[in-house]
Amino acid sequence: MRDEADRLEQRWIQELHQEYRRGRRSQRRLVTGVQTAILLLLFVLWEIAGRMKWIDVLLFSYPSKIFTQIGKDAISGELWGHVGVTVGETIAGFLLGTLLGTLLAVLIWWSPFLSKVLDPYMVVFNSMPKVALGPIFIVMFGAGFTAILMTTLSIIVIITTLVVYNSFQEVDSNLIKVVRTFGGSRRDTFQKVILPASFPAIVSTLKVNVGMAWIGVIVGEFLVAKNGLGYLIIYGFQVFNFTLVMSSLLIIAIVATLMYQAVVYVEHRLLSGRPHR
């Protein structure tokens, strides 16, 4: 009788879990459907406003012209080189900036003295307009990939360092005391308490860094590039081809969204097995 009761209880729990998952899937589909409907509605209203001359089409264009521009550039092959350059620069800045920022956060956590020394400098550097550093990077590294990468790193590294370091500081002090009570070293404290507890914050920082990487690369391309999506935007302004400008912005939005969703997927896979705090 007891075995039968256990089987019934397990079956009941499984049915509840399946019902919960169905509800989650249904909610995700509903959210996706509403998001898609809103996006389509905005494009339709934009198209109508452009064709009815409710907006200045010279400045704002409208979707059919933008998609025609994208299709023409894609068929000619001109578009892919620009997209490839910008995406490559963005991924390089994103990965390297996140890595360097995380390592710097670990370094200043490891050395309280270094943390006190660097704290005001990081705050000041983070408050500086990074566009102003662009000409300096151009003079130092030349008008090319390195200058764009350094502009991107100047945006990502400090933000990553501050966010990750603050997550280290917010770890429950009682957990740290337990490790030290049992004779754990600073390395043990970091490996067994600080890093595991901060891992969700580190992974979530990737989401922020996607946007920061795009900002850094586009700003860098505004200043020095002769190809890339940032170059197309500047060129479009110079020749008053605002359809080219808007098409470049739309491509940036699409690729940035794909990168963000890739980060969300990685986050889900890495954190799905972790218990909720």
Side-chain angles (χ1 to χ4, degrees):
M1 292 292 294
R2 183 175 180 83
D3 292 340
E4 182 66 22
D6 289 341
R7 284 196 295 270
L8 290 174
E9 182 179 0
Q10 291 177 359
R11 185 182 303 170
W12 178 68
I13 293 174
Q14 289 175 354
E15 290 176 354
L16 284 179
H17 180 64
Q18 291 174 356
E19 183 178 353
Y20 169 76
R21 294 186 63 181
R22 285 194 296 269
R24 289 288 301 272
R25 287 195 295 267
S26 177
Q27 185 182 42
R28 284 197 296 268
R29 286 195 294 266
L30 178 61
V31 169
T32 302
V34 172
Q35 290 174 335
T36 304
I38 292 174
L39 181 62
L40 292 175
L41 179 61
L42 290 175
F43 274 112
V44 170
L45 293 176
W46 185 7
E47 181 77 18
I48 294 172
R51 291 187 176 275
M52 299 297 291
K53 308 300 182 182
W54 295 342
I55 59 175
D56 188 345
V57 294
L58 175 64
L59 292 177
F60 299 105
S61 190
Y62 48 86
S64 60
K65 288 185 65 176
I66 292 172
F67 288 123
T68 300
Q69 178 77 49
I70 293 174
K72 182 183 68 175
D73 292 340
I75 292 173
S76 68
E78 181 181 353
L79 177 64
W80 305 115
H82 294 291
V83 173
V85 167
T86 301
V87 171
E89 293 167 345
T90 304
I91 292 175
F94 168 74
L95 295 176
L96 188 57
T98 301
L99 177 62
L100 292 178
T102 303
L103 291 177
L104 183 57
V106 173
L107 181 62
I108 62 178
W109 176 87
W110 205 280
S111 172
F113 174 78
L114 186 62
S115 173
K116 292 182 175 65
V117 171
L118 294 181
D119 182 66
Y121 294 100
M122 289 193 298
V123 172
V124 170
F125 187 78
N126 188 49
S127 65
M128 292 180 63
K130 305 306 184 294
V131 178
L133 299 175
I136 299 176
F137 294 141
I138 294 172
V139 172
M140 291 177 62
F141 303 106
F145 171 79
T146 305
I148 295 173
L149 180 62
M150 292 305 299
T151 303
T152 306
L153 294 181
S154 69
I155 297 175
I156 293 179
V157 171
I158 297 300
I159 292 177
T160 302
T161 301
L162 293 175
V163 172
V164 174
Y165 177 69
N166 286 336
S167 72
F168 289 167
Q169 295 293 93
E170 292 171 0
V171 174
D172 190 350
S173 59
N174 292 322
L175 298 175
I176 299 174
K177 290 177 183 177
V178 170
V179 175
R180 292 180 177 174
T181 299
F182 285 94
S185 63
R186 194 164 183 81
R187 174 178 293 180
D188 294 328
T189 302
F190 181 78
Q191 291 179 341
K192 300 181 184 300
V193 178
I194 300 297
L195 185 60
S198 303
F199 193 65
I202 295 173
V203 176
S204 296
T205 304
L206 296 175
K207 297 179 181 179
V208 178
N209 286 351
V210 169
M212 295 297 101
W214 277 99
I215 292 173
V217 167
I218 297 302
V219 167
E221 289 184 347
F222 281 173
L223 296 173
V224 302
K226 295 182 180 179
N227 49 26
L229 295 173
Y231 164 77
L232 288 182
I233 293 173
I234 291 296
Y235 176 76
F237 275 118
Q238 291 173 343
V239 299
F240 288 91
N241 185 352
F242 289 94
T243 299
L244 177 61
V245 173
M246 298 302 292
S247 65
S248 300
L249 292 174
L250 180 60
I251 293 170
I252 290 172
I254 293 172
V255 180
T257 301
L258 292 176
M259 284 184 61
Y260 182 86
Q261 291 302 319
V263 171
V264 170
Y265 175 78
V266 170
E267 179 186 35
H268 176 73
R269 293 299 299 268
L270 291 177
L271 302 182
S272 59
R274 294 173 58 90
H276 294 289
R277 294 178 62 186

